PDB file of all heavy atoms in Angstrom:
ATOM      1  N   PRO A  81      69.331 -14.846-166.936  1.00  0.00           N
ATOM      2  CA  PRO A  81      69.108 -16.292-167.001  1.00  0.00           C
ATOM      3  C   PRO A  81      69.691 -17.002-165.780  1.00  0.00           C
ATOM      4  O   PRO A  81      70.625 -16.522-165.135  1.00  0.00           O
ATOM      5  CB  PRO A  81      69.849 -16.707-168.278  1.00  0.00           C
ATOM      6  CG  PRO A  81      69.890 -15.469-169.112  1.00  0.00           C
ATOM      7  CD  PRO A  81      70.047 -14.346-168.118  1.00  0.00           C
ATOM      8  N   GLY A  82      69.134 -18.139-165.467  1.00  0.00           N
ATOM      9  CA  GLY A  82      69.616 -18.975-164.371  1.00  0.00           C
ATOM     10  C   GLY A  82      69.150 -20.396-164.590  1.00  0.00           C
ATOM     11  O   GLY A  82      68.435 -20.686-165.562  1.00  0.00           O
ATOM     12  N   PRO A  83      69.517 -21.310-163.695  1.00  0.00           N
ATOM     13  CA  PRO A  83      69.146 -22.706-163.887  1.00  0.00           C
ATOM     14  C   PRO A  83      67.636 -22.940-163.880  1.00  0.00           C
ATOM     15  O   PRO A  83      67.152 -23.882-164.487  1.00  0.00           O
ATOM     16  CB  PRO A  83      69.826 -23.427-162.725  1.00  0.00           C
ATOM     17  CG  PRO A  83      70.128 -22.375-161.723  1.00  0.00           C
ATOM     18  CD  PRO A  83      70.292 -21.097-162.482  1.00  0.00           C
ATOM     19  N   HIS A  84      66.886 -22.070-163.223  1.00  0.00           N
ATOM     20  CA  HIS A  84      65.430 -22.197-163.155  1.00  0.00           C
ATOM     21  C   HIS A  84      64.724 -21.318-164.190  1.00  0.00           C
ATOM     22  O   HIS A  84      63.510 -21.374-164.318  1.00  0.00           O
ATOM     23  CB  HIS A  84      64.945 -21.835-161.747  1.00  0.00           C
ATOM     24  CG  HIS A  84      65.266 -20.419-161.372  1.00  0.00           C
ATOM     25  ND1 HIS A  84      66.555 -20.006-161.112  1.00  0.00           N
ATOM     26  CD2 HIS A  84      64.493 -19.330-161.259  1.00  0.00           C
ATOM     27  CE1 HIS A  84      66.545 -18.717-160.837  1.00  0.00           C
ATOM     28  NE2 HIS A  84      65.305 -18.281-160.914  1.00  0.00           N
ATOM     29  N   LEU A  85      65.498 -20.520-164.926  1.00  0.00           N
ATOM     30  CA  LEU A  85      64.951 -19.574-165.887  1.00  0.00           C
ATOM     31  C   LEU A  85      65.980 -19.404-167.001  1.00  0.00           C
ATOM     32  O   LEU A  85      66.682 -18.420-167.075  1.00  0.00           O
ATOM     33  CB  LEU A  85      64.680 -18.244-165.185  1.00  0.00           C
ATOM     34  CG  LEU A  85      63.757 -17.250-165.840  1.00  0.00           C
ATOM     35  CD1 LEU A  85      62.360 -17.829-166.018  1.00  0.00           C
ATOM     36  CD2 LEU A  85      63.692 -15.980-165.026  1.00  0.00           C
ATOM     37  N   ARG A  86      66.068 -20.421-167.849  1.00  0.00           N
ATOM     38  CA  ARG A  86      67.192 -20.559-168.785  1.00  0.00           C
ATOM     39  C   ARG A  86      67.446 -19.342-169.664  1.00  0.00           C
ATOM     40  O   ARG A  86      68.579 -18.980-169.887  1.00  0.00           O
ATOM     41  CB  ARG A  86      67.007 -21.798-169.633  1.00  0.00           C
ATOM     42  CG  ARG A  86      66.911 -23.018-168.710  1.00  0.00           C
ATOM     43  CD  ARG A  86      67.494 -24.264-169.189  1.00  0.00           C
ATOM     44  NE  ARG A  86      68.731 -24.252-169.895  1.00  0.00           N
ATOM     45  CZ  ARG A  86      69.871 -24.696-169.394  1.00  0.00           C
ATOM     46  NH1 ARG A  86      69.924 -25.114-168.165  1.00  0.00           N
ATOM     47  NH2 ARG A  86      70.938 -24.726-170.140  1.00  0.00           N
ATOM     48  N   ASN A  87      66.401 -18.712-170.187  1.00  0.00           N
ATOM     49  CA  ASN A  87      66.632 -17.542-171.037  1.00  0.00           C
ATOM     50  C   ASN A  87      66.324 -16.221-170.325  1.00  0.00           C
ATOM     51  O   ASN A  87      66.509 -15.151-170.888  1.00  0.00           O
ATOM     52  CB  ASN A  87      65.836 -17.647-172.343  1.00  0.00           C
ATOM     53  CG  ASN A  87      64.341 -17.572-172.146  1.00  0.00           C
ATOM     54  OD1 ASN A  87      63.849 -17.397-171.036  1.00  0.00           O
ATOM     55  ND2 ASN A  87      63.600 -17.715-173.233  1.00  0.00           N
ATOM     56  N   GLY A  88      65.812 -16.291-169.110  1.00  0.00           N
ATOM     57  CA  GLY A  88      65.533 -15.093-168.330  1.00  0.00           C
ATOM     58  C   GLY A  88      64.297 -14.320-168.760  1.00  0.00           C
ATOM     59  O   GLY A  88      64.021 -13.250-168.221  1.00  0.00           O
ATOM     60  N   ARG A  89      63.527 -14.852-169.701  1.00  0.00           N
ATOM     61  CA  ARG A  89      62.344 -14.129-170.187  1.00  0.00           C
ATOM     62  C   ARG A  89      61.109 -14.541-169.378  1.00  0.00           C
ATOM     63  O   ARG A  89      60.695 -15.695-169.417  1.00  0.00           O
ATOM     64  CB  ARG A  89      62.129 -14.387-171.672  1.00  0.00           C
ATOM     65  CG  ARG A  89      63.240 -13.766-172.525  1.00  0.00           C
ATOM     66  CD  ARG A  89      63.067 -14.044-173.986  1.00  0.00           C
ATOM     67  NE  ARG A  89      61.899 -13.414-174.588  1.00  0.00           N
ATOM     68  CZ  ARG A  89      61.795 -12.138-174.928  1.00  0.00           C
ATOM     69  NH1 ARG A  89      62.792 -11.314-174.682  1.00  0.00           N
ATOM     70  NH2 ARG A  89      60.700 -11.677-175.503  1.00  0.00           N
ATOM     71  N   ILE A  90      60.534 -13.559-168.690  1.00  0.00           N
ATOM     72  CA  ILE A  90      59.353 -13.808-167.860  1.00  0.00           C
ATOM     73  C   ILE A  90      58.171 -13.042-168.425  1.00  0.00           C
ATOM     74  O   ILE A  90      58.265 -11.845-168.709  1.00  0.00           O
ATOM     75  CB  ILE A  90      59.592 -13.383-166.406  1.00  0.00           C
ATOM     76  CG1 ILE A  90      60.650 -14.269-165.767  1.00  0.00           C
ATOM     77  CG2 ILE A  90      58.300 -13.432-165.603  1.00  0.00           C
ATOM     78  CD1 ILE A  90      60.936 -13.934-164.334  1.00  0.00           C
ATOM     79  N   GLY A  91      57.070 -13.740-168.581  1.00  0.00           N
ATOM     80  CA  GLY A  91      55.824 -13.102-168.966  1.00  0.00           C
ATOM     81  C   GLY A  91      55.037 -12.751-167.717  1.00  0.00           C
ATOM     82  O   GLY A  91      55.121 -13.435-166.701  1.00  0.00           O
ATOM     83  N   LEU A  92      54.283 -11.675-167.791  1.00  0.00           N
ATOM     84  CA  LEU A  92      53.416 -11.278-166.684  1.00  0.00           C
ATOM     85  C   LEU A  92      52.052 -10.919-167.255  1.00  0.00           C
ATOM     86  O   LEU A  92      51.953 -10.107-168.176  1.00  0.00           O
ATOM     87  CB  LEU A  92      54.005 -10.079-165.934  1.00  0.00           C
ATOM     88  CG  LEU A  92      53.190  -9.553-164.758  1.00  0.00           C
ATOM     89  CD1 LEU A  92      53.049 -10.613-163.671  1.00  0.00           C
ATOM     90  CD2 LEU A  92      53.828  -8.304-164.176  1.00  0.00           C
TER      91      LEU A  92
END
Side-chain angles (χ1 to χ4, degrees):
H84 62 289
L85 198 61
R86 302 215 40 108
N87 67 2
R89 292 178 66 77
I90 294 181
L92 179 62

